[in-house]
Amino acid sequence: MKKTTTVIIGAGHSGLAMSRALEARGIDHLVLERGQPGNSWRTERWDSLSLLTPNWMNGLSGRPYAGTDPDGYMTVGAFVRAFDAWDAPVMTGTTVLSVTGSAGNFRVQTDQGLILCDTVVIATGACALPRLPAFADALPGAVRQMTPITYRNPADLPEGGVLVVGASASGLQIARELALAGRRTVLAVGNHLRLPRDYRGADILRWMDRVGVFDLPFDQVDDLERVRRTPSLPLIGTPTRETLDLNALQAIGVEIAGRLAAVNDGKALFSGSLANLCTAADLKLNRLLDTIDTWIARTGANAAPPERHVPTRLPGSPRLSLDLRTEGIRTVIWATGYRPDHRWLHLPVFDRKGRIRHDGGVVADGLCVMGLPYLRSRHSTHIAGAAADAAALADHLNRSLADAA
Amino acid sequence: MNVQNQVKAVQNGVNTEALLGARAALADMPAAAQFTWRATCEWVDGTHSRSVVKGFFGLGEEQSHTKSFTVESDHPPQFAAADNGPTPIEIVLSALASCLTGGVAAVAQHRGIQLHAVTAKVEGDMDIAGVLGIDADVRNGFSAVRVSFDIDADATADEIAALVAQSQKRSAVFDIVTNPTNVSVSVA
């Protein structure tokens, strides 16, 4: 049995940011990691993946990007190397089995023994498990089902066509890779966003950051539930700074269809609402570009002339069904989102849909969670954003410990 | 975030506060959000039928309209019928238009946009070779549905387009028409 003040569960960018924040406050702690630091990045990503955020947004806490290409996009392999040089009190190869108790008296049971502590930080990430629709079970057994967590590369898939479900970053990137590898690819498109890689001579994320769209604190958002469900940013990090949108995908041969609504008798059935979802994404993009243009005009910032993008191109009559067998679709990739895995947390802190309840990351006295969408602001989703969240939550833990003392 | 409705008093006849209050209350009471809608249809003669709607279930108990409503349906003389009412197909189109139009008003109220006039024209294309059993490859239902809105409001063209887009995203009938639903039909 071990004792420490704070246990951090997960040595990803969030857990390590918290480790630094606790170290700065002189709080004794241990970081538990089921594999190696950065484990999900090492083992649950596809081969070709690069970060979709530019390097300046990807600094681990206390280690801002110091290279020569702040606007470039590093491969996951390069990013993972940043974890190797980390010195934090990490117990690797340690899987948490359960957490029980309360502030001042948490019991963390692991496969390496029991750890007692006063406070706990959950930093196991937002993307631990794929979120699949209930009708995934209705797919014919001959169709291989994968998720972005299990997908590695096109050669891994059975011969034949692929249905990619979901048009956020993962689905768009995987559909692109499959089409470029010569696979027949159909992409089912639900609610989605659209962004250009660059705008007015700079990375779109640079403008969004400067304009302040990431800054609004969680406690000033009027529909937090909705913003926490916002799809991931539909971007890709490539050396040529490609824009990845539905027009770009259709230009390389990807067929787009509506939201996958059901699987019936070996047929995928798509919603007839594709046109509206594309219109909504185009309108939202133009509102963002208007916001950026207004900011540039007000501040006199250096920028190339404004531009507007052609509306999303739609097939004349988007398909409503796809017979998987007769159309030779051998694989379905569910890029339908992720959810955290908190099944080992044996405390009454979940809502009716099984999601952890928290107030800006504070779950209960002495118990915090990190790395969830819009935890404290939109920065919470970004790798470099973990440092600010860690600081705020470490202050909470500090107060909790002081109150108990 | 939407701050317009805090500074502009718009009047589209939609009680946004009541709707937002219901939304907040139902988020915590998922069982109360379970509704069942009903209609009872009686055959009159030929293709003429009469549906009555009055009761429905929701908020955990039986509910009722303030009075019963009747919807008659028939077919026009071109189908050798007596034309006592719109076809069921036209009732579906009317339902889609009503749902989207009501949605436009509700979204406009929430966004602080004053409406002056809203017209929705709906068209549904159909090859009746399907319903007549002439060609098994032709579906019975619509091959395409088009809705065209004409909206006069104190808003920009993009704001109006966004109203219409959001109305579709929250429309029950739009969902009913665009997505498959399991339907079971039994005989008592």
Side-chain angles (χ1 to χ4, degrees):
Chain A
M1 189 180 73
K2 281 190 164 66
K3 280 189 179 182
T4 185
T5 305
T6 300
V7 162
I8 301 169
I9 304 170
H13 56 271
S14 291
L16 293 175
M18 180 56 87
S19 175
R20 285 197 70 92
L22 294 182
E23 189 188 313
R25 287 161 183 76
I27 300 174
D28 174 51
H29 63 280
L30 278 175
V31 186
L32 309 185
E33 170 54 56
R34 66 189 157 138
Q36 295 295 313
N39 197 63
S40 311
W41 292 103
R42 291 177 202 269
T43 63
E44 296 178 354
R45 301 290 185 269
W46 59 93
D47 298 344
S48 66
L49 181 64
S50 284
L51 300 187
L52 61 79
T53 41
N55 293 333
W56 62 269
M57 294 178 76
N58 304 334
L60 295 180
S61 174
R63 289 169 188 259
Y65 178 77
T68 55
D69 187 17
D71 294 313
Y73 312 96
M74 68 179 93
T75 63
V76 166
F79 175 60
V80 158
R81 284 197 285 281
F83 287 96
D84 292 337
W86 199 274
D87 75 359
V90 181
M91 284 176 62
T92 56
T94 303
T95 299
V96 171
L97 304 173
S98 74
V99 171
T100 55
S102 57
N105 184 30
F106 281 109
R107 297 169 62 83
V108 180
Q109 186 66 56
T110 80
D111 62 353
Q112 306 297 316
L114 178 67
I115 303 172
L116 300 181
C117 58
D118 300 312
T119 58
V120 170
V121 178
I122 301 161
T124 50
C127 305
L129 298 170
R131 197 163 47 203
L132 304 187
F135 51 78
D137 291 340
L139 276 179
V143 174
R144 165 110 52 110
Q145 298 191 43
M146 303 184 103
T147 71
I149 293 175
T150 56
Y151 169 79
R152 287 294 167 270
N153 56 61
D156 236 18
L157 273 47
E159 293 282 311
V162 186
L163 170 61
V164 179
V165 185
S168 290
S170 303
L172 294 174
Q173 292 192 20
I174 291 171
R176 169 185 172 276
E177 177 162 274
L178 292 169
L180 293 176
R183 296 298 186 116
R184 180 185 175 206
T185 308
V186 179
L187 178 67
V189 178
N191 198 20
H192 65 282
L193 298 173
R194 182 184 182 195
L195 287 178
R197 179 73 269 182
D198 286 331
Y199 182 63
R200 301 192 66 173
D203 193 302
I204 189 75
L205 297 177
R206 178 73 81 176
W207 290 121
M208 290 167 79
D209 186 62
R210 293 179 76 182
V211 166
V213 301
F214 300 137
D215 294 340
L216 189 68
F218 72 100
D219 51 5
Q220 292 177 31
V221 174
D222 68 1
D223 192 345
L224 197 53
E225 170 78 10
R226 187 178 63 78
V227 297
R228 284 185 172 154
R229 278 193 324 239
T230 303
S232 64
L233 297 175
L235 294 167
I236 186 170
T238 61
T240 54
R241 314 191 61 81
E242 265 174 66
T243 286
L244 182 61
D245 61 14
L246 296 178
N247 285 350
L249 286 181
Q250 290 181 91
I252 58 169
V254 174
E255 178 186 350
I256 63 170
R259 187 177 64 84
L260 183 59
V263 176
N264 225 331
D265 219 5
K267 277 192 188 133
L269 302 178
F270 303 100
S271 171
S273 63
L274 179 63
N276 184 51
L277 296 180
C278 292
T279 300
D282 289 348
L283 286 165
K284 197 170 274 189
L285 166 62
N286 286 338
R287 286 200 294 275
L288 172 68
L289 300 185
D290 287 345
T291 302
I292 293 170
D293 291 344
T294 304
W295 185 88
I296 290 171
R298 200 185 71 232
T299 59
N302 202 12
E307 55 183 316
R308 285 295 174 269
H309 301 79
V310 295
T312 301
R313 193 161 56 83
L314 288 172
S317 185
R319 78 161 60 237
L320 295 169
S321 73
L322 178 65
D323 187 317
L324 300 172
R325 192 177 56 81
T326 61
E327 301 260 6
I329 301 293
R330 303 278 309 282
T331 310
V332 170
I333 298 180
W334 299 107
T336 37
Y338 308 92
R339 60 198 168 93
D341 183 0
H342 295 146
R343 288 174 295 189
W344 40 266
L345 183 59
H346 298 168
L347 292 170
V349 293
F350 299 99
D351 69 11
R352 66 185 175 88
K353 297 186 84 174
R355 296 171 302 197
I356 195 164
R357 280 201 208 96
H358 66 90
D359 183 21
V362 177
V363 178
D365 183 25
L367 179 63
C368 294
V369 64
M370 294 186 67
L372 301 183
Y374 223 115
L375 189 85
R376 299 185 63 81
S377 77
R378 261 194 219 294
H379 289 292
S380 297
T381 314
H382 309 143
I383 292 160
D389 287 3
L393 295 172
D395 285 342
H396 164 82
L397 296 178
N398 218 356
R399 280 193 299 275
S400 170
L401 293 166
D403 289 349
Chain B
M1 202 173 68
N2 183 357
V3 291
Q4 294 178 61
N5 52 351
Q6 290 156 15
V7 291
K8 264 197 249 171
V10 304
Q11 202 38 263
N12 296 325
V14 178
N15 188 341
T16 318
E17 287 70 28
L19 292 174
L20 291 175
R23 182 172 178 263
L26 291 178
D28 297 328
M29 290 186 295
Q34 304 306 311
F35 274 62
T36 301
W37 299 101
R38 302 192 189 106
T40 302
C41 180
E42 286 204 32
W43 173 58
V44 180
D45 185 41
T47 54
H48 181 201
S49 66
R50 185 178 295 125
S51 296
V52 176
V53 294
K54 175 109 196 279
F56 57 93
F57 182 89
L59 306 175
E61 57 188 349
E62 279 302 317
Q63 306 284 349
S64 180
H65 281 281
T66 47
K67 58 180 182 182
S68 62
F69 294 97
T70 302
V71 183
E72 305 225 3
S73 180
D74 201 351
H75 285 73
Q78 292 79 355
F79 289 78
D83 216 2
N84 288 294
T87 62
I89 299 145
E90 292 158 322
I91 293 172
V92 170
L93 292 180
S94 306
L96 176 62
S98 293
C99 199
L100 291 175
T101 302
V104 164
V107 177
Q109 183 74 37
H110 184 49
R111 295 186 178 178
I113 294 173
Q114 181 64 54
L115 298 175
H116 301 297
V118 180
T119 306
K121 292 200 173 102
V122 198
E123 291 182 325
D125 298 338
M126 184 183 287
D127 179 348
I128 68 164
V131 289
L132 293 177
I134 297 169
D135 185 342
D137 293 332
V138 174
R139 69 182 278 188
N140 297 341
F142 296 121
S143 55
V145 173
R146 290 175 299 280
V147 184
S148 163
F149 268 102
D150 191 355
I151 297 178
D152 178 11
D154 297 336
T156 65
D158 271 1
E159 285 167 345
I160 289 172
L163 278 185
V164 174
Q166 184 62 21
S167 169
Q168 290 167 78
K169 281 179 84 169
R170 286 284 161 268
S171 165
V173 180
F174 184 83
D175 177 275
I176 288 163
V177 172
T178 54
N179 291 311
T181 306
N182 286 316
V183 179
S184 63
V185 180
S186 58
V187 179

